[in-house]
């Protein structure tokens, strides 16, 4: 005989018992909470009235207060059913065991967001039906737009697809896919943006596509830095999968089904037809071919499409943990961090490039752990002795446009005055005058003296009837 006696732990209920308990809980919650009404609905769910069904409903009726009888108590009711001995005894051999013969619909209630997000005035959308009513759509039209069934986009006729797609060449090489929603879906996405996403605060380090953020404001955070580190995230939007967006909506308190429909409305699966039209380089390197395969797999799954009103806000919210970790790392290194969409910048007090490289290695590790990919070709270590640039602005002393941009625009305006605007509109812009005025306004905002000089040249240009 053993010296020690170990307690006998109760065995977990069989899976079949759990399924029956869930079905019973949903039947009990589907109407009045009197024992007789619950017993009737339970008998319909199981196909017959079992002897233990009435004692079970009596126990639940007296254990749960009337005000606690709501869908939020679903898990507790399941636990109480599984703790009822006569119910568990019905699953012991020999004899017939209870089986589910019918199902009652169940819609969980809106949950509560984390304490940090408490007090947000978000619309209460407990069910897909509530979402359809909020958007002014029928259930079938909501299904069509959200495409939660995952229909194959490659088999859909282009006229029936919800997005216009086009390939756009990047200035740094390669192409990006622009997926612009059609008018009705774009209106739906703008409402989701305005009444849900815009009410959720982003991390303070996010400077792009946020209220009050700007290119100039982001650059001003790092002006006059002894050492500037810059890192770019590769294919930022498409690297955020639908599962991450779904998790975000769940965090905001939306039930699983509602979150699934919201995810379907704001993400997209690119069709094989579109991917087959990808422009190919004449002699792509093995690295480029490998990355194109990875990119194509991401596009064929649910992702944030570039060109959708909700994508920048969703990307900022999905990158909250990335921003929080990088901000903490920057504080430990006595640096300042900001992110403008996919451009990461760190300004350091220490001017040592060796220390900068160590910081970059740590940053790249965090980026990879958070599910993003650094663009190694755009990683820069810029001491103050070089031209420090962030999102197109020079920040060695204060945010300013590069001198080359000023000289180029001044030459264009001078030639417009001497030879006429038509001679300088080489891209055939339909409103060349507004184009030049916009570029001058940008200079006026960043460097008033240079902007005034450019404006003086602009006002001396003779605009003919065919130059606008």
């Amino acid at each position: 005989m053993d010296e020690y006696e170990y307690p006998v732990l109760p065995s977990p209920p069989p899976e079949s018992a759990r399924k029956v308990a869930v079905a019973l809980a949903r039947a009990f919650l589907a109407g009045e909470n009197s024992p007789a009404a619950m017993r009737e609905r339970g008998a319909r769910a199981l196909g017959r009235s079992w002897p233990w069904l009435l004692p079970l409903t009596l126990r639940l009726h007296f254990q749960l207060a009337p005000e606690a009888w709501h869908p939020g108590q679903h898990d507790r009711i399941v636990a109480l059913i599984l703790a009822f001995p006569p119910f568990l005894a019905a699953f012991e051999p020999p004899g017939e065991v209870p089986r589910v013969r019918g199902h009652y619909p169940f819609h969980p209630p809106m949950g509560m967001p984390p304490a940090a997000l408490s007090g947000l005035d978000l619309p209460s959308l407990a069910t897909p039906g509530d979402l359809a009513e909020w958007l002014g759509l029928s259930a079938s039209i909501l299904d069509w737009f959200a495409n939660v069934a995952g229909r194959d986009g490659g088999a859909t006729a282009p006229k029936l697809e919800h997005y216009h797609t086009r390939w756009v060449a990047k200035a740094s090489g390669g192409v990006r896919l622009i997926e612009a929603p059609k008018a009705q879906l774009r209106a739906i996405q703008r409402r989701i943006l305005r009444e849900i996403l815009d009410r959720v605060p982003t991390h303070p380090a996010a400077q792009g596509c946020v209220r009050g953020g700007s290119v100039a404001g982001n650059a001003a955070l790092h002006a006059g830095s002894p050492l500037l580190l810059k890192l770019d995230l590769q294919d930022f939007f498409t690297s955020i999968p639908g599962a991450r967006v779904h998790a975000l909506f769940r965090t905001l308190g939306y039930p699983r089904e509602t979150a699934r429909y919201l995810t379907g409305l704001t993400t997209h699966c690119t069709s094989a037809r579109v991917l087959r039209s990808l422009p190919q380089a004449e002699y792509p390197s093995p690295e480029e071919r490998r990355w194109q395969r990875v990119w194509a797999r991401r596009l064929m799954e649910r992702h944030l499409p570039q060109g959708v009103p909700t994508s920048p806000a969703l990307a900022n919210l999905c990158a909250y943990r990335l921003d929080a970790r990088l901000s903490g790392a920057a504080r430990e290194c006595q640096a300042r961090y900001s992110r403008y969409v996919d451009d990461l910048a760190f300004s350091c007090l220490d001017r040592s490039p060796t220390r900068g490289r160590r910081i970059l290695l740590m940053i790249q590790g965090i980026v990879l752990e958070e599910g993003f990919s650094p663009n190694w070709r755009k990683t820069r270590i810029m001491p103050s002795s070089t031209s420090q640039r962030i999102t197109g602005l020079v920040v060695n002393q204060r945010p300013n446009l590069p001198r080359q941009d000023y000289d180029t625009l001044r030459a264009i305006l001078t030639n417009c005055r001497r030879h006429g605007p038509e001679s300088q509109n080489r891209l055939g812009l339909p409103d060349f005058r507004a184009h030049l005025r916009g570029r001058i306004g940008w200079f006026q905002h960043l460097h008033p003296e240079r902007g005034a000089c450019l404006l003086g040249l602009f006002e001396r240009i003779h605009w003919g009837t065919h130059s606008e």
Side-chain angles (χ1 to χ4, degrees):
M1 184 175 178
D2 294 339
E3 183 179 355
Y4 300 101
E5 293 185 0
Y6 297 97
V8 178
L9 298 177
S11 58
E15 186 62 27
S16 57
R18 181 169 294 278
K19 290 181 180 179
V20 172
V22 169
L24 282 175
R26 296 181 177 185
F28 295 158
L29 287 168
E32 184 186 350
N33 67 335
S34 66
M38 288 195 296
R39 177 177 175 272
E40 182 181 353
R41 293 194 299 272
R44 289 179 183 176
L46 302 182
R48 53 170 284 197
S49 180
W50 291 79
W52 45 263
L53 195 53
L54 181 58
L56 174 62
T57 58
L58 287 168
R59 181 170 182 176
L60 292 175
H61 176 75
F62 290 113
Q63 280 196 338
L64 288 174
E67 61 272 10
W69 199 260
H70 56 81
Q73 295 290 328
H74 174 274
D75 293 346
R76 184 184 177 194
I77 294 173
V78 171
L80 290 173
I81 295 173
L82 290 173
F84 189 57
F87 171 79
L88 292 177
F91 292 88
E92 297 176 357
E96 182 186 4
V97 299
R99 295 183 184 277
V100 180
R101 305 296 183 182
H103 293 275
Y104 280 81
F106 174 75
H107 300 294
M110 283 283 294
M112 293 297 295
L117 300 178
S118 61
L120 296 180
D121 184 20
L122 301 180
S124 179
L125 307 171
T127 68
D130 294 337
L131 176 62
E133 183 178 357
W134 180 66
L135 293 171
L137 304 173
S138 65
S140 59
I141 295 298
L142 177 63
D143 284 341
W144 184 53
F145 278 121
N147 192 18
V148 293
R151 293 185 294 272
D152 182 15
T156 304
K159 290 184 179 180
L160 298 179
E161 292 183 356
H162 301 308
Y163 290 85
H164 297 292
T165 58
R166 70 180 188 275
W167 299 99
V168 178
K170 296 180 181 179
S172 58
V175 293
R176 64 165 51 92
L177 177 62
I178 301 299
E179 299 173 289
K182 295 180 181 179
Q184 194 170 357
L185 179 58
R186 183 169 62 250
I188 291 171
Q189 292 165 342
R190 282 177 174 166
R191 183 165 188 189
I192 294 173
L193 172 65
R194 184 174 60 253
E195 300 189 30
I196 297 179
L197 301 177
D198 279 349
R199 298 179 182 181
V200 183
T202 58
H203 194 278
Q207 295 293 311
C209 303
V210 297
R211 194 180 299 255
S214 66
V215 171
N218 179 60
L221 294 173
H222 305 280
S225 169
L227 185 68
L228 185 64
L229 311 177
K230 193 173 74 168
L231 184 68
D232 184 78
L233 301 179
Q234 191 156 0
D235 298 319
F236 180 52
F237 290 104
T238 56
S239 63
I240 298 177
R244 202 163 187 165
V245 177
H246 182 268
L248 171 66
F249 284 120
R250 292 282 288 147
T251 301
L252 296 180
Y254 290 103
R256 190 177 306 278
E257 280 302 298
T258 304
R260 192 160 69 101
Y261 275 83
L262 286 169
T263 302
L265 292 171
T266 54
T267 60
H268 185 226
C269 301
T270 307
S271 67
R273 176 184 57 81
V274 173
L275 293 177
R276 284 194 295 269
S277 66
L278 169 66
Q280 299 285 341
E282 188 174 0
Y283 299 106
S285 66
E287 180 186 357
E288 290 172 336
R289 287 197 296 268
R290 181 190 65 81
W291 181 251
Q292 281 185 358
R293 287 194 295 269
V294 173
W295 190 40
R297 283 196 295 269
R298 286 179 176 174
L299 288 172
M300 293 182 73
E301 301 294 332
R302 283 208 171 272
H303 61 276
L304 285 183
Q306 191 164 353
V308 169
T310 51
S311 288
L314 284 170
N316 280 333
L317 294 174
C318 288
Y320 191 97
R321 179 181 163 91
L322 172 70
D323 291 334
R325 292 187 64 186
L326 291 180
S327 294
R331 283 194 300 271
E332 292 298 319
C333 299
Q334 296 183 332
R336 176 175 288 178
Y337 161 70
S338 71
R339 177 179 58 82
Y340 194 90
V341 189
D342 57 354
D343 289 326
L344 279 56
F346 294 81
S347 49
C348 307
L349 295 177
D350 192 336
R351 63 180 67 250
S352 168
T354 302
R355 179 173 170 80
R357 282 190 288 269
R358 289 199 297 265
I359 295 174
L360 267 180
L361 286 174
M362 176 184 63
I363 293 168
Q364 290 165 350
I366 294 174
V367 169
L368 290 170
E369 288 174 4
E370 291 301 316
F372 298 97
S373 300
N375 190 338
W376 311 105
R377 295 180 179 179
K378 292 188 177 181
T379 301
R380 298 287 185 271
I381 300 177
M382 298 174 286
S384 57
S385 57
T386 63
S387 177
Q388 298 175 327
R389 297 192 184 190
I390 300 176
T391 55
L393 299 182
V394 178
V395 294
N396 289 71
Q397 295 180 352
R398 64 174 184 175
N400 198 4
L401 285 162
R403 178 60 189 247
Q404 182 181 358
D405 292 359
Y406 170 74
D407 292 339
T408 300
L409 183 55
R410 183 174 180 177
I412 291 174
L413 294 172
T414 301
N415 289 332
C416 284
R417 186 170 60 87
R418 291 176 178 174
H419 309 294
E422 297 86 351
S423 65
Q424 302 302 305
N425 189 9
R426 297 185 176 90
L427 298 178
L429 298 175
D431 195 346
F432 187 52
R433 182 175 185 172
H435 168 75
L436 291 179
R437 189 63 185 87
R439 292 179 64 180
I440 293 170
W442 185 225
F443 269 97
Q444 289 177 303
H445 175 66
L446 293 171
H447 200 299
E449 296 84 1
R450 289 181 178 177
C453 177
L454 294 172
L455 183 61
L457 291 172
F458 177 82
E459 290 175 344
R460 291 196 293 269
I461 297 174
H462 174 69
W463 296 94
T465 57
H466 301 289
S467 60
E468 299 183 13

